[in-house]
Amino acid sequence: MIRRMNMKRFIYFFVFFLLLTLSLFFIMNQLSSKTLEESLIGASKKQLEYTKSILDGIMYEANMYGVQFAADNDVRFYQNQVLELSNYESQMKKNEIVERLEKPLLSSRSIDTIGIYWKSEGTFFSTNRDPQAKLPFIQVESKGWQTIDNSLYYFAVYPYIQKPGHPEPVQYVVGVKLNTDYLKNLLKKAVNDDSSNAFFLINGSQLLWSEQEVDHDLLKAVSDMLLPDPTETLKYDYHNYKDDYYILSRYIKPLDTYLIAYTRTNTFLQPLERSRKVFLASILAVLGLGLFVIFTFYRNYYRNIRLLDKKFLQVEQGNYSTRITENPDNEFYNLFRSFNHMVSEIQGLFASLRTETELRRSAELKQLQAQINPHFLYNSLFFIMSMARSSPDAVMKMSKHLAEYYRYITKLDHFVVTLGSELKLAEHFLAIMALSKRVEYEIGLPPELASLPMMPLIIQPVVENAIQHGIEGLQGAHRVSIDITQTEASIVIRVSDDGRGLAPDEIRRLKSRIACSAPPEGTGGVGLWNVNRRLKNTYGESSGLQFSANHWGGLSVLLLIRYPLEKGEAHAAFNR
């Protein structure tokens, strides 16, 4: 059970370690993805802000040129001066103004054309020679940015300062047209690489400027999400069936235009995705290797240990014929061979021990049978002869008890009898004694104890000792009793007589004599020593003989048999 728990703990630890590794990788991957995305978004915001700063500079430049020419004295007084000048001088004045309009174009790539339109006379000066170039100027009535014909204009008017409540009619309009191609090219500064794109949505998404094609679904989604916040760059997320995007938007209020950049995150996150796949493949490889190691460990080690443990348990339970038939191709082969050899040797030893025990018990029984006092038989036969004529009934009783007594003694070939049969033998002996002598006896055996297993010839020697050394040693003594009692953990057989008894010093000497490991010298005390030693050898050292004076004044000999109460088997010890 302990090894099984250790194996389970090993598997649980491996699974826990694997799950912990996967969890940590997932967290690290999420953090890495988030960090990379935030870094990309931060870089894109900076690029978008940089692009807007350039656009702000262009707007400021256009505004400055518009205001500059609107406030220029030559422009302001041109219509009055042209009335006083000749045609040649008028043309030269016009060329001078146009040359001044062309000078900013030499240093600025963002300005496409600059034009001046006098409303009352319809006069139009412009750096663009196209006659249609004045059309956007005709309808202008106020300053500011306008989108006309897919182009951005900044218009400044004169008078450029209007009194509240008293507007004056516009005398002329100065228009600065921005270079559309330059503005589109400016979008390159708002993108990272090929996975990014940028575009302008002008007039609240009515006009699109971009150098690259913009996905229609993305454009529609962006148009629905846009918020006109001129204070900060806003971020949006967009997902389609195969790609993920993050979108950055900055609203340019003077132009009513959104500067938008979007980036496909799949490209940037592709290295992380590859790393994730490699790691997952590694985890699967580790898992496969771990399962292989566990399987190998189980097959080559744990299973063999469990088999060995099972076989040892069988040996412990007394099955000495068990063998290990497996022949593993590892270190356990020699261990299993050693186990089989060990069990075979143990089985042989136990077989030898069993044979020796049987022989010893048989010899012990023969010895006990040989110890039966022959004078007892002679006396019994002489009693039969003397009573043959005068009392046939006494002869019959004596013959019956004597026959039963010797049949039990001579036919005894079992090492375990019952308590009832042992007491029956003692009863035959006492009945024979009662016929030939003045002896009274009583046997108290509870019926439920009659079937208890008991070693043979254990009570009769004590009863015989009570007759010979107790009753026959005191004139008038004649009583013998045998009482059987059961306690929680023992059986007590008490043999009492009313004979001469023993003094305390004599009892101590008797206890000391039967407690010796060797039998006493001579014939005295051998019977009690033998009974005491057999009790201790069979039922444990706590069992044996005890002696005490009884209320008759004689001696009581207690045969104490102790046994443990295990698993509810009250008489387990008697089966040894």
Side-chain angles (χ1 to χ4, degrees), residues 282-301:
S282 302
I283 288 296
L284 291 177
V286 171
L287 177 61
L289 179 62
L291 293 177
F292 175 75
V293 170
I294 291 176
F295 173 75
T296 304
F297 174 79
Y298 175 79
R299 185 185 63 181
N300 295 333
Y301 177 75

Side-chain angles (χ1 to χ4, degrees), residues 260-510:
I260 299 172
Y262 64 90
T263 301
R264 185 162 56 91
T265 58
N266 305 56
T267 303
F268 291 98
L269 298 179
Q270 190 172 7
L272 284 178
E273 186 65 26
R274 284 198 298 267
S275 176
R276 183 189 297 115
K277 291 180 180 178
V278 170
F279 182 81
L280 289 177
S282 302
I283 288 296
L284 291 177
V286 171
L287 177 61
L289 179 62
L291 293 177
F292 175 75
V293 170
I294 291 176
F295 173 75
T296 304
F297 174 79
Y298 175 79
R299 185 185 63 181
N300 295 333
Y301 177 75
Y302 180 73
R303 187 175 62 178
N304 292 330
I305 288 294
R306 288 282 300 153
L307 176 62
L308 196 60
D309 181 67
K310 178 182 177 182
K311 293 298 182 179
F312 269 115
L313 181 62
Q314 292 178 0
V315 172
E316 184 180 346
Q317 293 173 348
N319 182 11
Y320 302 107
S321 63
T322 185
R323 297 292 186 273
I324 299 178
T325 58
E326 286 77 358
N327 295 315
D329 188 18
N330 52 34
E331 294 79 0
F332 283 92
Y333 176 74
N334 293 329
L335 185 61
F336 288 171
R337 288 185 59 189
S338 300
F339 173 84
N340 291 337
H341 179 72
M342 178 191 69
V343 175
S344 178
E345 291 293 325
I346 292 176
Q347 187 178 21
L349 289 175
F350 270 98
S352 300
L353 180 62
R354 189 179 299 108
T355 301
E356 292 177 3
T357 302
E358 296 291 337
L359 292 175
R360 180 181 63 79
R361 288 182 175 179
S362 178
E364 187 178 67
L365 283 178
K366 296 299 182 183
Q367 181 185 8
L368 291 174
Q369 292 170 345
Q371 288 178 357
I372 300 301
N373 191 346
H375 296 289
F376 169 72
L377 175 60
Y378 301 154
N379 294 335
S380 299
L381 291 176
F382 282 129
F383 174 81
I384 292 174
M385 291 173 60
S386 63
M387 300 297 291
R389 295 181 179 180
S390 61
S391 180
D393 291 339
V395 171
M396 291 180 62
K397 289 181 180 181
M398 174 67 76
S399 299
K400 177 183 176 183
H401 288 299
L402 190 64
E404 293 291 341
Y405 179 83
Y406 275 99
R407 183 172 65 175
Y408 185 86
I409 294 295
T410 57
K411 296 295 183 180
L412 184 64
D413 57 357
H414 299 290
F415 304 126
V416 177
V417 295
T418 63
L419 181 59
S421 63
E422 275 293 287
L423 290 176
K424 196 68 176 176
L425 175 65
E427 184 179 1
H428 288 310
F429 177 80
L430 289 173
I432 292 173
M433 291 291 101
L435 289 173
S436 60
K437 299 179 181 181
R438 182 174 174 269
V439 175
E440 295 180 3
Y441 66 91
E442 59 179 351
I443 300 175
L445 174 64
E448 65 273 11
L449 301 181
S451 60
L452 282 180
M454 175 70 62
M455 65 171 59
L457 300 178
I458 199 72
I459 301 176
Q460 191 273 340
V462 179
V463 174
E464 184 177 350
N465 187 78
I467 297 292
Q468 292 180 357
H469 301 286
I471 293 178
E472 291 181 357
L474 180 65
Q475 185 70 29
H478 64 282
R479 287 181 293 184
V480 177
S481 68
I482 303 175
D483 294 313
I484 313 298
T485 57
Q486 181 182 25
T487 64
E488 184 178 355
S490 63
I491 294 292
V492 179
I493 304 173
R494 184 187 299 270
V495 180
S496 303
D497 64 75
D498 62 348
R500 69 179 183 86
L502 294 177
D505 291 342
E506 293 177 315
I507 292 178
R508 283 195 294 271
R509 286 195 295 271
L510 178 60

Side-chain angles (χ1 to χ4, degrees), residues 73-85 93 118 120-121 171:
N73 289 331
D74 289 337
V75 176
R76 186 161 49 124
F77 299 114
Y78 173 74
Q79 288 299 326
N80 294 331
Q81 291 176 352
V82 76
L83 296 176
E84 300 175 358
L85 299 175
K93 192 68 174 178
W118 285 267
S120 59
E121 292 80 10
Q171 297 181 17

Side-chain angles (χ1 to χ4, degrees), residues 57-238:
I58 295 173
M59 292 168 56
Y60 175 76
E61 183 181 10
N63 191 309
M64 181 187 66
Y65 287 138
V67 173
Q68 174 186 341
F69 288 109
D72 187 270
N73 289 331
D74 289 337
V75 176
R76 186 161 49 124
F77 299 114
Y78 173 74
Q79 288 299 326
N80 294 331
Q81 291 176 352
V82 76
L83 296 176
E84 300 175 358
L85 299 175
S86 62
N87 290 335
Y88 174 77
E89 291 174 344
S90 176
Q91 183 62 39
M92 293 301 294
K93 192 68 174 178
K94 175 182 177 182
N95 292 341
E96 181 184 350
I97 294 175
V98 172
E99 287 178 2
R100 291 174 61 188
L101 293 178
E102 289 177 346
K103 284 183 179 181
L105 302 183
L106 299 176
S107 61
S108 176
R109 293 185 301 168
S110 61
I111 305 300
D112 185 36
T113 61
I114 300 176
I116 304 174
Y117 176 70
W118 285 267
K119 282 185 170 292
S120 59
E121 292 80 10
T123 303
F124 179 67
F125 294 169
S126 176
T127 58
N128 187 352
R129 308 305 179 187
D130 187 358
Q132 302 296 322
K134 76 172 183 179
L135 295 178
F137 292 75
I138 297 175
Q139 302 299 326
V140 175
E141 296 295 337
S142 60
K143 66 178 181 179
W145 290 91
Q146 294 188 30
T147 304
I148 302 173
D149 295 334
N150 201 22
S151 298
L152 272 175
Y153 290 84
Y154 177 75
F155 293 106
V157 298
Y158 183 85
Y160 52 87
I161 298 177
Q162 298 286 343
K163 295 179 180 180
H166 299 84
E168 298 183 18
V170 175
Q171 297 181 17
Y172 58 88
V173 177
V174 179
V176 181
K177 179 184 177 183
L178 299 184
N179 189 333
T180 303
D181 292 335
Y182 179 80
L183 293 178
K184 291 182 180 179
N185 191 61
L186 182 65
L187 294 171
K188 294 180 180 179
K189 300 183 181 299
V191 299
N192 294 311
D193 53 23
D194 294 339
S195 62
S196 302
N197 190 18
F199 58 89
F200 289 108
L201 277 180
I202 305 171
N203 289 342
S205 75
Q206 294 181 7
L207 180 62
L208 171 67
W209 284 359
S210 177
E211 286 196 325
Q212 301 179 26
E213 184 179 357
V214 179
D215 183 82
H216 176 73
D217 294 334
L218 184 144
L219 180 61
K220 184 177 183 304
V222 168
S223 300
D224 295 337
M225 292 187 293
L226 290 176
L227 295 175
D229 187 352
T231 60
E232 61 179 326
T233 301
L234 302 181
K235 174 184 174 294
Y236 308 95
D237 292 316
Y238 172 72

